[in-house]
Amino acid sequence: MNERQLVENTRKIYQMLGDEESKFVYMSRLAYVLSGDIRYAMGCIGTYMNRYVESNGYEFTPHNITNLLSKLPKDRKIVLYGAGGDGAMLLPFVRRDERFIGFCSATKEHQKNGYLTYPVISPEELLAKKNLSVVIASSNDRYDLMDILKDGGYPQELVFDAIPYYHSNPEESDQYFGPKFMKYEEEEVFVDAGCYDFLSSQALTRHCKCVKKVYAFEPDPDNYQKCLKAVERRNQKRIVDVRIFPNGVWSEKTMLHFDAIGSTSSRVSDEEMENSGGIVIPVVAIDDTIDLNDKVTMIKMDIEGSELEALKGAKKTIQRDKPKLAICIYHKPEDMWEIPLYIKKLVPEYRFYIRHYSNYGNETVLYAVIP
């Protein structure tokens, strides 16, 4: 794409956006993509933090965290259980405490490489120690983490839940579902591309009366097992029917190389770029998988750069049902313009919004809704 085309496409997409926050996030993100200057990314991060402070009851303050830390035993080292966004938020405050030694996470990638420069131990290592103060630092799966510790015989007097100290509503997860422009049916038929651990489908139940059916796709073998276990634990009154596929989503049915690393970063890869987690997976088109008797009401995609190909494989479904879309656009630079323009071509009536989720750089989501 030459400079003139880039300017024209940027202008088109800017005019498609439904509110000022979307326009600001888009231009900030695009400037960061083109320049590599982290200062532009800080604009996106600022909108994320402000939204929590002003709209969602976000109560993250040094006083709250100091209060939490004061409750922990003085003679025990501290581990944050959860190496994700919540852990990153807590880190600037907890790292000042000389008792803090690092994180705990089931993600093998973090165990190998660490997280935010700190070491990461596995849940098995943590359960073997049974002598550390464990601070739960994951709002999405906090209860699962607590159950792991309890079932493993971890001393409950050494387990502390950080979430109530900075989330006034710790059950609310607004990524993909929360923005006010997202309107829901009483019964939703949801396509979850990049299911990971099934938590997105569970989060959707907080926004509608019933999730009638879920089509979930997760090709990473470790993550797929997480999904199966989560499906078994689901509330069947809230999520009635689940069809989970050990496949990736693509523009057609084929086989592709895949880096399976047991985390949200697992992705389709080029053959010559395979790492130790490289496998070959079957991928399918959403259009070929959805039951034609189902009217799809929402599609979410967070698939590490395969979003455009997956959208091509969902062309008929999108044009027929005009579902709400929540599509990640931060994995590849060209996603910033190719994905919005492709979706608009499929359904010209769509109105676009963009929101950023993360206080350390990524997670930018494009939403498409029928006004």
Side-chain angles (χ1 to χ4, degrees), residues 196-198 218-233 244-246:
Y196 178 53
D197 55 9
F198 202 68
E218 180 49 62
D220 185 297
D222 288 345
N223 295 342
Y224 179 70
Q225 292 301 317
K226 296 176 189 176
C227 294
L228 293 179
K229 292 178 181 177
V231 169
E232 292 176 1
R233 299 194 302 266
I244 181 167
F245 302 89

Side-chain angles (χ1 to χ4, degrees), residues 97-361:
D97 194 304
E98 62 183 11
R99 295 170 294 175
F100 176 66
I101 59 172
F103 294 86
C104 175
S105 172
T107 302
K108 292 182 176 60
E109 180 184 16
H110 290 328
Q111 294 168 17
K112 178 181 178 181
N113 301 320
Y115 183 63
L116 300 176
T117 74
Y118 284 88
V120 178
I121 63 174
S122 69
E124 292 76 16
E125 292 177 275
L126 181 61
L127 290 172
K129 292 179 180 293
K130 291 187 172 62
N131 62 353
L132 304 174
S133 291
V134 182
V135 177
I136 303 297
S138 176
S139 55
N140 283 335
D141 53 358
R142 58 199 289 243
Y143 295 119
D144 286 340
L145 301 187
M146 291 178 186
D147 287 344
I148 289 171
L149 293 172
K150 186 175 181 179
D151 294 344
Y154 205 92
Q156 293 301 287
E157 66 272 15
L158 293 179
V159 179
F160 302 84
D161 186 6
I163 307 305
Y165 286 85
Y166 65 98
H167 278 290
S168 63
N169 184 4
E171 299 302 327
E172 184 61 31
S173 174
D174 68 353
Q175 185 167 340
Y176 311 125
F177 309 111
K180 294 180 180 179
F181 49 77
M182 298 289 279
K183 308 298 181 183
Y184 296 92
E185 311 287 339
E186 284 201 0
E187 293 185 337
E188 291 279 330
V189 176
F190 179 48
V191 176
D192 189 353
C195 184
Y196 178 53
D197 55 9
F198 202 68
L199 285 178
S200 292
S201 297
Q202 293 175 334
L204 177 57
T205 65
R206 300 197 291 271
H207 297 273
C208 63
K209 184 176 180 180
C210 172
V211 180
K212 182 179 178 181
K213 184 178 288 187
V214 174
Y215 290 90
F217 300 86
E218 180 49 62
D220 185 297
D222 288 345
N223 295 342
Y224 179 70
Q225 292 301 317
K226 296 176 189 176
C227 294
L228 293 179
K229 292 178 181 177
V231 169
E232 292 176 1
R233 299 194 302 266
R234 80 186 191 278
N235 182 337
Q236 296 191 26
K237 291 183 179 179
R238 303 299 301 276
I239 303 179
V240 179
D241 186 10
V242 178
R243 299 187 183 181
I244 181 167
F245 302 89
N247 307 94
V249 283
W250 199 249
S251 53
E252 61 180 350
K253 183 178 181 180
T254 186
M255 304 293 290
L256 296 175
H257 290 274
F258 188 79
D259 287 343
I261 53 180
S263 77
T264 57
S265 298
S266 299
R267 66 179 65 208
V268 169
S269 65
D270 295 331
E271 181 177 1
E272 61 270 20
M273 295 179 64
E274 285 186 274
N275 63 18
S276 58
I279 59 176
V280 176
I281 62 164
V283 293
V284 296
I286 289 173
D287 285 339
D288 297 334
T289 311
I290 301 298
D291 189 325
L292 293 178
N293 293 319
D294 288 328
K295 182 181 184 299
V296 174
T297 60
M298 182 171 179
I299 298 175
K300 162 250 173 181
M301 291 183 180
D302 188 352
I303 45 179
E304 305 302 306
S306 297
E307 285 82 2
L308 183 58
E309 287 297 322
L311 286 166
K312 292 177 181 177
K315 175 181 177 180
K316 294 177 182 178
T317 302
I318 293 171
Q319 290 181 318
R320 181 188 70 236
D321 297 337
K322 298 179 175 59
K324 300 176 290 293
L325 303 178
I327 313 295
C328 289
I329 57 171
Y330 64 91
H331 296 113
K332 294 180 178 178
E334 58 268 30
D335 287 346
M336 293 290 295
W337 51 85
E338 289 184 349
I339 288 177
L341 292 175
Y342 180 76
I343 294 173
K344 194 70 172 179
K345 184 178 179 181
L346 294 184
V347 182
E349 308 97 281
Y350 271 137
R351 178 174 293 173
F352 290 152
Y353 296 87
I354 296 177
R355 292 292 184 266
H356 182 81
Y357 302 92
S358 174
N359 68 330
Y360 52 95

Side-chain angles (χ1 to χ4, degrees), residues 8-72:
E8 179 63 18
N9 287 339
T10 300
R11 183 188 64 81
K12 288 180 181 178
I13 296 168
Y14 185 86
Q15 293 175 347
M16 296 173 189
L17 298 175
D19 63 6
E20 292 303 314
E21 182 174 347
S22 299
K23 294 175 181 178
F24 178 78
V25 170
Y26 184 73
M27 296 307 294
S28 297
R29 183 82 198 189
L30 186 62
Y32 172 54
V33 165
L34 295 176
S35 70
D37 190 332
I38 192 64
R39 289 176 295 179
Y40 292 112
M42 295 306 294
C44 299
I45 294 170
T47 64
Y48 166 71
M49 299 302 291
N50 289 339
R51 190 163 63 250
Y52 271 77
V53 170
E54 297 174 3
S55 302
N56 294 332
Y58 182 68
E59 299 176 357
F60 192 76
T61 67
H63 173 74
N64 286 351
I65 304 308
T66 299
N67 187 26
L68 167 64
L69 294 175
S70 69
K71 300 179 184 298
L72 274 58

